[in-house]
Amino acid sequence: MASDLSNQITLTSPRLLDLESPSAQAAFTGKPAKQGLYNPSNERDACGVGFVAHIKGQKSHEIVQKGLELLTNLTHRGATGYDPKLGDGAGLLMQMPDAFMRKEAAKLNITLPVAGQYAVGNVFLPQTDANREACVAIINKIIAEENQTLLGWRDVPVNNSNIAHAAHDVEPVMRQVLIASAATDQNVFERKLFVIRKRIEHAVRALEFKDKATFYIPSLSSRTIVYKGMLLANEVGVYYTDLNDESVVSALALVHQRFSTNTFPAWDLAHPFRMIAHNGEINTVQGNVNWMAARHETMRSTVLGDDLEKLWPLIAEGQSDSACFDNCLELLVAGGYSLPHAMMMLIPEAWSGNPLMDEERRAFYEYHAALMEPWDGPAAVAFTDGRMIGATLDRNGLRPARYLVTDDDIVMMASEMGVLTFPQEKIVKKWRLQPGKMLLIDMEQGRIIDDAEVKTELASAKPYKQWIEKTRYFLSDMPKVEGNLEMAASLLDTQQAFGYTQED
């Protein structure tokens, strides 16, 4: 689980990005431009999140159905518009259903490679034929340019007979793109898929076409797939008929019901994103995005190499706080950090001045604080890469997150208990996520990894304390040098040049 720093993306400190630009709300995002009291940079949500998973990684259709049931029972944490059928968004993330995809590919005369050597991308396409064809052409072209093999396209069957009129008006065309890998290493393939997706997003955004439906790629992976939309919680399993097929199996189901407080619902802003779903908000997102943009010129990666530059801009303008967080997490994982390592960097515990924390763990957080500022705010974040699934809570513990474990290796985490019913005699543990703590299930190892074990292993993997002591200097330790201060300008002009205000 410990990451090899020699293969990780190199993050250093500091160009700033203006999220409030009206151009940020182009047709690509489908949201209005800044106007009146509405500012798209204030997009926030407070929602219901949860997952159900099998600790040993045993895949079944029952897990998918339990995920949909959990989602339905989170309805009260979502929101509706003026039309009670108009949901703010809901969705489900699961592992790639290999048997199902093979069955569907065979109908199209497509032979899929072995599992892990092909990817499926769920794609939201524009409603108009010309715009849709332009997007498909870009996708096909970029796949070829990145030396991967396009296997074909599949139309995703949907049942939209009962969705709200407002959701129907902006409903995208649902299609799946199937891609074969040119590499034998699945991790290399996943990184290439990340690059392909970002290149496609940049190219489509440059078209600036106007269309009621939003172009968006909910997922493009060999490990996971996301079904989501501007739907009510109980509509996801009805709208996406794929999810009712018995051959759709998974060992995990991560679900989310959105409540977009004071903001706009949209097909693309429904959760889960590619790796996360969260209940809460990231209050520091403006600064986080600016700092990520500022690192652009100094960022390096031995595993991504020249592909790193193709990812920029990493975080597109006009995204929600959780979408921005997801983009950053994707980059860290693609750059060589393990999933729990990346989550500890982004949402650290309260470590500064904490006398109860051991020195190695505090050194870990202090070292990474120089590389990545915390994405802070009241948030419970569930995360997965298809092999691990877990959740972490902000350092103040301001969002609810409860979990239980059964004697037949089922783990359920949600915003509250009661969303799934289990016989009491089968429950072996029932607890809550505590401030700054992490719940992690490694399905390849087949076990729950305790918060202390996760963090102790990562903190002791490298000599962080030594690295800090070798590179940290205190002004009080510097030799004193006598000198005369001569100011080139008046005191007031100098103060103003350095940002002092009248109040200061």
Side-chain angles (χ1 to χ4, degrees), residues 18 30 51 55 73 138-139 170 180 184 203 256-257 288 290 310 338 342 361 375 385 455 486 493:
D18 180 15
F51 66 75
I55 298 172
N73 291 334
I138 285 173
I139 294 170
V170 293
T184 56
H256 187 274
Q257 163 74 340
N288 296 130
N290 284 343
K310 300 174 184 177
S338 70
R361 193 188 297 189
W375 290 63
D385 62 359
K455 294 174 178 176
E486 294 183 5
D493 288 343

Side-chain angles (χ1 to χ4, degrees), residues 14-33:
R15 316 175 318 149
L16 298 180
L17 186 66
D18 180 15
L19 285 181
E20 300 183 4
S21 166
S23 63
Q25 311 309 320
F28 186 86
T29 67
K31 288 187 293 184

Side-chain angles (χ1 to χ4, degrees), residues 3-11 187 190-191 194-195 275 299-305 308 311 327-338 342:
S3 302
D4 182 358
L5 283 177
S6 63
N7 291 326
Q8 288 167 359
I9 194 165
T10 302
L11 299 172
N187 292 326
E190 282 293 305
R191 284 194 289 270
F194 180 37
V195 172
M275 298 189 82
M299 201 176 284
R300 302 289 182 271
S301 173
T302 56
V303 291
L304 285 168
L308 179 62
L311 303 176
N327 289 160
C328 187
L329 179 61
E330 282 185 297
L331 176 66
L332 293 179
V333 173
Y337 291 92
S338 70

Side-chain angles (χ1 to χ4, degrees), residues 119-121 123 139 143 150 152-154 175-179 220:
V120 177
V123 186
I139 294 170
I143 291 170
L150 173 68
W153 286 84
R154 172 183 179 251
R175 298 190 71 189
Q176 289 175 337
V177 59
L178 283 70
I179 306 170
L220 178 59

Side-chain angles (χ1 to χ4, degrees), residues 297-355:
E297 299 300 336
T298 54
M299 201 176 284
R300 302 289 182 271
S301 173
T302 56
V303 291
L304 285 168
D306 294 338
D307 280 348
L308 179 62
E309 190 59 31
K310 300 174 184 177
L311 303 176
W312 296 91
L314 175 70
I315 300 173
E317 296 182 14
Q319 293 189 127
S320 66
D321 56 337
S322 42
C324 295
F325 181 93
D326 186 69
N327 289 160
C328 187
L329 179 61
E330 282 185 297
L331 176 66
L332 293 179
V333 173
Y337 291 92
S338 70
L339 185 57
H341 192 154
M343 288 301 300
M344 285 175 67
M345 290 174 63
L346 295 171
I347 306 180
E349 293 178 81
W351 59 271
S352 180
N354 183 354

